[in-house]
Amino acid sequence: MSALSTHTRAPLSRSRIATAALAIVDREGLDALSMRRLGAELGVEGMAVYRHFPNKAAILAGVVEVLLAKLVIPPPSDVPWQAVFRELSHTYRALLLRHPHAIPLLAALPLSDPATARAAGAVMAQLRAAGFDAQSALKTLATITSYVIGVAQWEVGTAPYRSAGARGSFVLPPAADPYLVELLPQLAADDCDDTFEFGLDVIVRGLEARS
Amino acid sequence: MSALSTHTRAPLSRSRIATAALAIVDREGLDALSMRRLGAELGVEGMAVYRHFPNKAAILAGVVEVLLAKLVIPPPSDVPWQAVFRELSHTYRALLLRHPHAIPLLAALPLSDPATARAAGAVMAQLRAAGFDAQSALKTLATITSYVIGVAQWEVGTAPYRSAGARGSFVLPPAADPYLVELLPQLAADDCDDTFEFGLDVIVRGLEARS
DNA sequence: ACCTGAACACCGTTCAAGT
DNA sequence: ACCTGAACACCGTTCAAGT
């Protein structure tokens, strides 16, 4: 076997490009990702990327792929479904919070994307093994996915309030409703993990009540 | 009072611009909204818009304002909280589904935006009147908002599957998980209103079990 | 085979100039 | 006072040309 000649930079590849794109999104936000910026990150002209991806949408799909590959979903076991449900929710939530700028990409939920389909399939396997019938499993998947993504977005959207609260300077909207004003300090001091747990409990108990 | 002289076009105004922007988003999607395109819609050069809005982000906030103004939230009454909760969820859901391309704008949930704060305050008033303490009311608001927006996004994201199912042509991702494949026909035939109701029941029952 | 450079039709935004 | 036109620094995308 021949020794690999070490050039100044590794050759371009789908995964190297997608990983670089995720790095830009994580550091500078979704809007900062452009073909030319991506090329610069890779030490190449932006147009070289078109050898590996047909367009920008395909690159964003590649970023989703990279993200969901990080989502380790354990194989079905005989653990009670409540525990499985809670653990999957926490795992997914942790992934979203590690990549807050990428949440809108995952919110789109394109099941036609192989990476999304693989992850959804793994969760379905868990739910079916836990005794859910096909229809309930699908509706439960929809419910939990919607909730976890929704909360992550709420969290990012209300972050300014919490940091304002930490600084003691509230961003009071003019003529805000008194009921909301009453709650602003509470919102500012809100423990998001706690709020997430509140809703997760609500959903688990609701599912128990249904079955 | 003087008769209004009818010129070829009405003068520019914040609300006229925001309404035109929403119309473009509804018809052609978020990406189609540009300053020049917006100007054309109003019969004006795109740069004229800068007289009324400092930048494009402000215009998007204006679109959120127009959308949330459509959200009629009734004043508190002595109706059981479960009914109030369900009705608010349905009203919000209906608004989102009437403007599917605008959902990402509402998902961001900037409470510092007066329009968002007003709507959130009105819902808080309902929950407080229904007997929720301040903390539970806030966490409940977070839960329901997250769920309704999350489901709407799930629905938009899985729409290709349902229309493919209607045409009888499935978009099968290569090497999809067998558990998911089993469920694809079900997903394609899914009644989204029904799935939404499933999760709403789950949450209402869960909230009942907590109190 | 893989990357570059120039080009095209767009962007958001600024600002001097017109009326 | 309100809008326009030209300009600036960017976009995504295509494609002939380079090595």
Side-chain angles (χ1 to χ4, degrees):
Chain A
M1 22 184 163
S2 65
L4 290 169
S5 62
T6 318
H7 276 78
T8 41
R9 60 171 197 254
L12 242 37
S13 71
R14 273 187 63 89
S15 78
R16 227 167 72 79
I17 292 172
T19 303
L22 175 58
I24 294 172
V25 170
D26 280 345
R27 286 200 311 267
E28 304 170 35
L30 263 180
D31 289 347
L33 181 63
S34 74
M35 303 303 277
R36 288 165 174 89
R37 175 78 186 72
L38 180 53
E41 181 88 5
L42 292 159
V44 110
E45 294 300 308
M47 298 72 194
V49 172
Y50 284 95
R51 287 275 140 195
H52 300 85
F53 290 90
N55 50 44
K56 194 180 176 181
I59 293 170
L60 293 177
V63 171
V64 168
E65 202 175 335
V66 169
L67 283 172
L68 292 183
K70 295 174 191 279
L71 202 58
V72 180
I73 300 167
S77 68
D78 54 359
V79 174
W81 68 263
Q82 289 91 336
V84 171
F85 189 86
R86 284 177 194 278
E87 177 164 349
L88 286 173
S89 303
H90 283 124
T91 306
Y92 193 28
R93 170 173 168 76
L95 176 69
L96 294 177
L97 295 186
R98 248 179 273 122
H99 304 278
H101 291 130
I103 294 176
L105 297 180
L106 294 162
L109 261 196
L111 284 184
S112 48
D113 182 298
T116 317
R118 186 196 60 79
V123 175
M124 292 306 322
Q126 290 271 11
L127 292 172
R128 294 305 310 277
F132 284 69
D133 66 76
Q135 182 169 254
S136 300
L138 181 62
K139 291 191 189 305
T140 301
L141 173 67
T143 301
I144 191 60
T145 306
S146 301
Y147 177 68
V148 175
I149 291 178
V151 171
Q153 284 179 142
W154 162 281
E155 199 160 338
V156 171
T158 56
Y161 276 86
R162 285 186 300 283
S163 48
R167 287 195 319 273
S169 66
F170 284 111
V171 194
L172 273 172
D177 188 281
Y179 277 105
L180 189 67
V181 171
E182 172 198 25
L183 288 171
L184 277 182
Q186 192 134 23
L187 178 58
D190 189 35
D191 179 332
C192 290
D193 289 330
D194 198 55
T195 296
F196 177 75
E197 228 55 49
F198 171 92
L200 192 56
D201 280 352
V202 160
I203 292 174
V204 170
R205 287 174 200 213
L207 286 170
E208 282 173 337
R210 260 194 92 92
S211 52
Chain B
M1 19 183 162
S2 64
L4 290 169
S5 63
T6 320
H7 276 76
T8 40
R9 61 171 197 254
L12 240 40
S13 71
R14 273 187 62 90
S15 77
R16 226 167 72 77
I17 292 171
T19 304
L22 175 58
I24 294 171
V25 170
D26 280 346
R27 285 201 311 267
E28 304 170 38
L30 264 180
D31 289 347
L33 181 63
S34 74
M35 302 305 275
R36 288 165 175 88
R37 176 77 186 72
L38 180 54
E41 181 88 5
L42 293 159
V44 111
E45 294 301 308
M47 299 72 193
V49 172
Y50 284 95
R51 287 274 142 195
H52 299 85
F53 290 91
N55 50 43
K56 193 180 177 182
I59 293 170
L60 294 176
V63 170
V64 169
E65 202 175 335
V66 169
L67 283 172
L68 292 183
K70 296 173 190 281
L71 203 58
V72 180
I73 301 168
S77 67
D78 54 358
V79 174
W81 69 263
Q82 289 91 335
V84 171
F85 189 86
R86 284 178 196 277
E87 177 163 349
L88 285 172
S89 303
H90 283 122
T91 306
Y92 193 28
R93 169 173 168 76
L95 177 69
L96 295 177
L97 295 187
R98 247 179 273 122
H99 304 277
H101 290 130
I103 294 176
L105 297 181
L106 294 162
L109 258 195
L111 284 185
S112 48
D113 182 300
T116 317
R118 185 195 62 78
V123 175
M124 291 307 321
Q126 290 270 10
L127 293 172
R128 294 304 309 277
F132 285 68
D133 67 77
Q135 182 169 253
S136 300
L138 180 62
K139 289 190 189 309
T140 301
L141 174 66
T143 301
I144 190 60
T145 306
S146 301
Y147 176 68
V148 174
I149 290 178
V151 171
Q153 283 180 144
W154 162 281
E155 198 160 339
V156 171
T158 55
Y161 276 86
R162 285 187 300 284
S163 48
R167 288 195 317 274
S169 66
F170 283 109
V171 195
L172 273 173
D177 189 282
Y179 276 105
L180 188 66
V181 172
E182 171 198 25
L183 287 171
L184 277 183
Q186 192 134 22
L187 178 58
D190 189 34
D191 179 331
C192 290
D193 290 329
D194 198 55
T195 296
F196 177 75
E197 227 57 47
F198 171 91
L200 192 56
D201 280 351
V202 160
I203 293 174
V204 170
R205 287 174 201 214
L207 285 171
E208 282 172 339
R210 259 192 93 91
S211 51

mmCIF file of all heavy atoms in Angstrom, chain A residues 119-142:
data_model
loop_
_atom_site.group_PDB
_atom_site.id
_atom_site.type_symbol
_atom_site.label_atom_id
_atom_site.label_comp_id
_atom_site.label_asym_id
_atom_site.label_seq_id
_atom_site.Cartn_x
_atom_site.Cartn_y
_atom_site.Cartn_z
ATOM 1 N N ALA A 119 -33.409 8.310 12.137
ATOM 2 C CA ALA A 119 -33.640 8.638 13.539
ATOM 3 C C ALA A 119 -35.091 8.376 13.933
ATOM 4 O O ALA A 119 -35.361 7.776 14.986
ATOM 5 C CB ALA A 119 -33.277 10.105 13.789
ATOM 6 N N ALA A 120 -36.019 8.793 13.070
ATOM 7 C CA ALA A 120 -37.439 8.569 13.356
ATOM 8 C C ALA A 120 -37.723 7.066 13.446
ATOM 9 O O ALA A 120 -38.455 6.617 14.332
ATOM 10 C CB ALA A 120 -38.302 9.215 12.266
ATOM 11 N N GLY A 121 -37.103 6.302 12.553
ATOM 12 C CA GLY A 121 -37.297 4.851 12.570
ATOM 13 C C GLY A 121 -36.802 4.224 13.861
ATOM 14 O O GLY A 121 -37.454 3.339 14.430
ATOM 15 N N ALA A 122 -35.672 4.697 14.351
ATOM 16 C CA ALA A 122 -35.112 4.157 15.590
ATOM 17 C C ALA A 122 -36.029 4.433 16.777
ATOM 18 O O ALA A 122 -36.191 3.599 17.675
ATOM 19 C CB ALA A 122 -33.723 4.752 15.832
ATOM 20 N N VAL A 123 -36.636 5.620 16.775
ATOM 21 C CA VAL A 123 -37.563 5.949 17.855
ATOM 22 C C VAL A 123 -38.833 5.101 17.742
ATOM 23 O O VAL A 123 -39.354 4.589 18.736
ATOM 24 C CB VAL A 123 -37.918 7.450 17.845
ATOM 25 C CG1 VAL A 123 -38.971 7.767 18.902
ATOM 26 C CG2 VAL A 123 -36.670 8.283 18.087
ATOM 27 N N MET A 124 -39.303 4.930 16.512
ATOM 28 C CA MET A 124 -40.476 4.068 16.290
ATOM 29 C C MET A 124 -40.221 2.666 16.842
ATOM 30 O O MET A 124 -41.092 2.074 17.477
ATOM 31 C CB MET A 124 -40.781 3.961 14.789
ATOM 32 C CG MET A 124 -41.273 5.211 14.111
ATOM 33 S SD MET A 124 -42.723 6.001 14.852
ATOM 34 C CE MET A 124 -43.660 4.600 15.332
ATOM 35 N N ALA A 125 -39.019 2.158 16.591
ATOM 36 C CA ALA A 125 -38.667 0.816 17.075
ATOM 37 C C ALA A 125 -38.810 0.746 18.592
ATOM 38 O O ALA A 125 -39.362 -0.216 19.138
ATOM 39 C CB ALA A 125 -37.237 0.482 16.662
ATOM 40 N N GLN A 126 -38.322 1.783 19.256
ATOM 41 C CA GLN A 126 -38.431 1.851 20.714
ATOM 42 C C GLN A 126 -39.894 1.814 21.161
ATOM 43 O O GLN A 126 -40.263 1.067 22.065
ATOM 44 C CB GLN A 126 -37.794 3.151 21.223
ATOM 45 C CG GLN A 126 -36.288 3.184 21.099
ATOM 46 C CD GLN A 126 -35.612 2.618 22.333
ATOM 47 O OE1 GLN A 126 -36.266 2.025 23.194
ATOM 48 N NE2 GLN A 126 -34.314 2.767 22.399
ATOM 49 N N LEU A 127 -40.708 2.648 20.528
ATOM 50 C CA LEU A 127 -42.108 2.764 20.951
ATOM 51 C C LEU A 127 -42.877 1.469 20.676
ATOM 52 O O LEU A 127 -43.658 1.001 21.514
ATOM 53 C CB LEU A 127 -42.777 3.951 20.252
ATOM 54 C CG LEU A 127 -42.275 5.338 20.677
ATOM 55 C CD1 LEU A 127 -42.854 6.429 19.784
ATOM 56 C CD2 LEU A 127 -42.616 5.613 22.135
ATOM 57 N N ARG A 128 -42.639 0.885 19.495
ATOM 58 C CA ARG A 128 -43.315 -0.379 19.174
ATOM 59 C C ARG A 128 -42.919 -1.466 20.158
ATOM 60 O O ARG A 128 -43.758 -2.234 20.633
ATOM 61 C CB ARG A 128 -42.980 -0.827 17.738
ATOM 62 C CG ARG A 128 -43.506 0.075 16.637
ATOM 63 C CD ARG A 128 -45.003 0.310 16.696
ATOM 64 N NE ARG A 128 -45.784 -0.902 16.813
ATOM 65 C CZ ARG A 128 -46.141 -1.699 15.803
ATOM 66 N NH1 ARG A 128 -45.799 -1.381 14.572
ATOM 67 N NH2 ARG A 128 -46.850 -2.784 16.014
ATOM 68 N N ALA A 129 -41.600 -1.530 20.462
ATOM 69 C CA ALA A 129 -41.116 -2.540 21.410
ATOM 70 C C ALA A 129 -41.724 -2.334 22.788
ATOM 71 O O ALA A 129 -41.914 -3.279 23.559
ATOM 72 C CB ALA A 129 -39.584 -2.490 21.494
ATOM 73 N N ALA A 130 -42.060 -1.064 23.105
ATOM 74 C CA ALA A 130 -42.651 -0.766 24.405
ATOM 75 C C ALA A 130 -44.146 -1.059 24.426
ATOM 76 O O ALA A 130 -44.815 -0.811 25.427
ATOM 77 C CB ALA A 130 -42.392 0.691 24.766
ATOM 78 N N GLY A 131 -44.682 -1.545 23.300
ATOM 79 C CA GLY A 131 -46.061 -1.993 23.299
ATOM 80 C C GLY A 131 -47.059 -1.049 22.649
ATOM 81 O O GLY A 131 -48.259 -1.330 22.645
ATOM 82 N N PHE A 132 -46.573 0.067 22.088
ATOM 83 C CA PHE A 132 -47.499 0.973 21.394
ATOM 84 C C PHE A 132 -47.931 0.339 20.082
ATOM 85 O O PHE A 132 -47.117 -0.266 19.368
ATOM 86 C CB PHE A 132 -46.810 2.308 21.090
ATOM 87 C CG PHE A 132 -46.661 3.204 22.291
ATOM 88 C CD1 PHE A 132 -45.806 2.883 23.322
ATOM 89 C CD2 PHE A 132 -47.392 4.379 22.395
ATOM 90 C CE1 PHE A 132 -45.661 3.714 24.438
ATOM 91 C CE2 PHE A 132 -47.251 5.213 23.494
ATOM 92 C CZ PHE A 132 -46.389 4.881 24.513
ATOM 93 N N ASP A 133 -49.214 0.481 19.720
ATOM 94 C CA ASP A 133 -49.622 0.044 18.384
ATOM 95 C C ASP A 133 -49.119 1.061 17.372
ATOM 96 O O ASP A 133 -48.703 2.167 17.744
ATOM 97 C CB ASP A 133 -51.148 -0.128 18.297
ATOM 98 C CG ASP A 133 -51.884 1.186 18.443
ATOM 99 O OD1 ASP A 133 -51.891 1.970 17.471
ATOM 100 O OD2 ASP A 133 -52.416 1.442 19.540
ATOM 101 N N ALA A 134 -49.150 0.688 16.100
ATOM 102 C CA ALA A 134 -48.529 1.501 15.051
ATOM 103 C C ALA A 134 -49.059 2.938 15.053
ATOM 104 O O ALA A 134 -48.295 3.900 14.979
ATOM 105 C CB ALA A 134 -48.744 0.854 13.687
ATOM 106 N N GLN A 135 -50.368 3.070 15.160
ATOM 107 C CA GLN A 135 -50.959 4.402 15.084
ATOM 108 C C GLN A 135 -50.565 5.262 16.285
ATOM 109 O O GLN A 135 -50.178 6.422 16.126
ATOM 110 C CB GLN A 135 -52.471 4.295 14.994
ATOM 111 C CG GLN A 135 -53.140 5.638 14.868
ATOM 112 C CD GLN A 135 -54.611 5.514 14.505
ATOM 113 O OE1 GLN A 135 -54.998 5.784 13.377
ATOM 114 N NE2 GLN A 135 -55.404 5.055 15.464
ATOM 115 N N SER A 136 -50.658 4.693 17.480
ATOM 116 C CA SER A 136 -50.290 5.446 18.682
ATOM 117 C C SER A 136 -48.817 5.826 18.659
ATOM 118 O O SER A 136 -48.438 6.920 19.093
ATOM 119 C CB SER A 136 -50.568 4.630 19.942
ATOM 120 O OG SER A 136 -51.925 4.295 20.028
ATOM 121 N N ALA A 137 -47.984 4.904 18.174
ATOM 122 C CA ALA A 137 -46.548 5.178 18.114
ATOM 123 C C ALA A 137 -46.276 6.397 17.236
ATOM 124 O O ALA A 137 -45.504 7.289 17.608
ATOM 125 C CB ALA A 137 -45.795 3.962 17.589
ATOM 126 N N LEU A 138 -46.917 6.450 16.087
ATOM 127 C CA LEU A 138 -46.712 7.581 15.179
ATOM 128 C C LEU A 138 -47.195 8.888 15.812
ATOM 129 O O LEU A 138 -46.492 9.900 15.790
ATOM 130 C CB LEU A 138 -47.450 7.339 13.856
ATOM 131 C CG LEU A 138 -47.297 8.458 12.814
ATOM 132 C CD1 LEU A 138 -45.834 8.618 12.423
ATOM 133 C CD2 LEU A 138 -48.144 8.177 11.586
ATOM 134 N N LYS A 139 -48.370 8.859 16.405
ATOM 135 C CA LYS A 139 -48.907 10.082 17.013
ATOM 136 C C LYS A 139 -48.044 10.500 18.208
ATOM 137 O O LYS A 139 -47.861 11.693 18.464
ATOM 138 C CB LYS A 139 -50.366 9.862 17.430
ATOM 139 C CG LYS A 139 -51.323 9.721 16.236
ATOM 140 C CD LYS A 139 -52.768 9.767 16.674
ATOM 141 C CE LYS A 139 -53.748 9.409 15.555
ATOM 142 N NZ LYS A 139 -53.580 10.237 14.334
ATOM 143 N N THR A 140 -47.529 9.519 18.924
ATOM 144 C CA THR A 140 -46.659 9.832 20.061
ATOM 145 C C THR A 140 -45.343 10.440 19.574
ATOM 146 O O THR A 140 -44.839 11.408 20.161
ATOM 147 C CB THR A 140 -46.387 8.566 20.888
ATOM 148 O OG1 THR A 140 -47.630 8.044 21.360
ATOM 149 C CG2 THR A 140 -45.499 8.873 22.077
ATOM 150 N N LEU A 141 -44.818 9.890 18.485
ATOM 151 C CA LEU A 141 -43.598 10.462 17.900
ATOM 152 C C LEU A 141 -43.830 11.913 17.490
ATOM 153 O O LEU A 141 -43.001 12.792 17.778
ATOM 154 C CB LEU A 141 -43.172 9.630 16.674
ATOM 155 C CG LEU A 141 -42.003 10.192 15.852
ATOM 156 C CD1 LEU A 141 -40.719 10.159 16.654
ATOM 157 C CD2 LEU A 141 -41.825 9.419 14.544
ATOM 158 N N ALA A 142 -44.961 12.167 16.856
ATOM 159 C CA ALA A 142 -45.291 13.534 16.441
ATOM 160 C C ALA A 142 -45.384 14.458 17.655
ATOM 161 O O ALA A 142 -44.864 15.576 17.647
ATOM 162 C CB ALA A 142 -46.597 13.549 15.655
#
